[in-house]
Amino acid sequence: MQPTPLNIAEQGCFPPNYSRLIARVLGIDAHKLPTLLAQTDVSANQLLREDTLLTSKQQIQILKNALCISNDQMFGLRLGKYLTPNTHGAMGFMASSSPNLLATLKAFQTYLPTRVDFSHIKLKLTKEYWECYCYFETDLDADILRAISEIYASVLFQCAEFIVGMPIEYAKICFSFKEPDYSQRYSEFLPGLIEFSSPELIFKIPKNICEIPNASANHESYSLALRECQSMLDKMRNKTNSITHQIEKMMLTHPPGVLNENRAAAMLFISERTLARRLTQEGSNFRTIRDQILSQQASSYLRNSDMSVDAIAALLNYHDSSSFRRAFKRWFHLTPDQYRKSKKS
């Protein structure tokens, strides 16, 4: 394991086809690519190679450059039209062959970091909608945030339209930026009701739409794409410089429950905020890792020893056994006594 942590955002994740597509939309030929690649340390030759992977920082800079070159506030919407499912590799293949839109949304929730490592989504079921909340774990200026949000909306609803075979007319799109001057043009690019100045970027899709069978569904292709996405995700998680893995090792070399977030950040020579951001980029957080370690240790003690619950709580550095019991119930949906009995029956 390498001793020096590396932010996942500094590792290559983005294939070059996105930037090449940006160049085509801008009408830029190979000789003018250096203008699009300014301040990225990426050469035109590298962008034309299939084995090149761009970092998040590089991809965002290319989009910034594209906005300047185009001098078009609507560039995000225009670019989004070209980002059809087949431009997204295994993720797009998975969406095209999925059983229905809901299966695609759930797969996006799991595997989006393999394609966009500075972003993740969460799904929430309400009475009328499946709501898709989109989050970004890096600072984006107003123009880039607007463009990326519009691109996300275009990508999602193009996939949705392909799967259900019709425009998603009753959807709601809640953008987190202020209403732009060109808002009256949105209907040319996106379906449904558009709202602005939302606290979060949210796409709301009617529940019944999400369950319409995909006429192009192919179980074998879908399974193959999911396996490829899972393999990519496993490779990301298994990198030796994973912050999550380093925190796990720290916790296991300290007395149970003692290591806090501030101390862990100091040991990694980073700020607490940076630690939290990097863990989020890896799909985790400090409390989740702590709970996983403590729950595994608690489970082992209950299964493999006759120690009392009070003694285990003290060993895991809980102030009192009632706090430990509440935590255990949250982890396993059983009390410690019920858990021990179920494992010995």
Side-chain angles (χ1 to χ4, degrees), residues 5-10 56-57 60 113 116-120 135-140 236 241-244 247 261-262 264-265 268-287 289:
L6 178 66
N7 188 341
I8 195 170
E10 295 172 350
S56 297
K57 184 177 180 181
I60 291 171
V116 186
D117 60 3
F118 63 85
S119 178
H120 71 278
Y135 301 97
F136 303 107
E137 287 94 36
T138 189
D139 293 330
L140 302 172
M236 290 178 65
N241 55 12
S242 160
I243 291 290
T244 299
I247 295 298
E261 198 164 3
N262 181 270
L268 291 170
F269 302 99
I270 57 178
S271 70
E272 192 170 340
R273 181 179 178 182
T274 297
L275 173 60
R277 185 177 70 250
R278 293 184 179 182
L279 287 173
T280 299
Q281 290 168 343
E282 295 180 8
S284 187
N285 60 66
F286 193 88
R287 180 181 176 181
I289 299 171

Side-chain angles (χ1 to χ4, degrees), residues 105 120-126 129-136 145 148-150 152-154 156-157 170-177 190-206:
L105 292 176
H120 71 278
I121 65 174
K122 290 185 178 180
L123 296 177
K124 178 181 178 182
L125 178 61
T126 66
Y129 301 99
W130 274 101
E131 298 182 349
C132 179
Y133 290 75
C134 302
Y135 301 97
F136 303 107
L145 175 62
I148 291 180
S149 298
E150 292 169 345
Y152 267 39
S154 296
L156 176 60
F157 286 100
Y170 299 103
K172 292 184 179 179
I173 302 175
C174 305
F175 286 118
S176 59
F177 50 83
L190 298 171
L193 178 66
I194 310 291
E195 299 177 2
F196 299 97
S197 299
S198 168
E200 297 172 291
L201 174 59
I202 313 170
F203 306 124
K204 301 181 181 182
I205 305 174

Side-chain angles (χ1 to χ4, degrees), residues 140-196:
L140 302 172
D141 65 40
D143 289 339
I144 290 296
L145 175 62
R146 185 180 68 248
I148 291 180
S149 298
E150 292 169 345
I151 290 169
Y152 267 39
S154 296
V155 168
L156 176 60
F157 286 100
Q158 284 196 76
C159 287
E161 183 172 342
F162 178 90
I163 292 168
V164 305
M166 60 182 178
I168 315 299
E169 296 179 352
Y170 299 103
K172 292 184 179 179
I173 302 175
C174 305
F175 286 118
S176 59
F177 50 83
K178 294 181 180 179
E179 182 173 359
D181 296 337
Y182 55 88
S183 60
Q184 71 278 2
R185 302 283 304 277
Y186 270 85
S187 60
E188 300 173 25
F189 299 89
L190 298 171
L193 178 66
I194 310 291
E195 299 177 2
F196 299 97

Side-chain angles (χ1 to χ4, degrees), residues 28 32 50 93 104 123 135 160 177 223 249 285-286 323 335:
I28 291 177
K32 296 181 180 179
E50 292 301 326
F93 190 37
T104 293
L123 296 177
Y135 301 97
F177 50 83
S223 298
K249 288 194 66 176
N285 60 66
F286 193 88
S323 297
T335 67

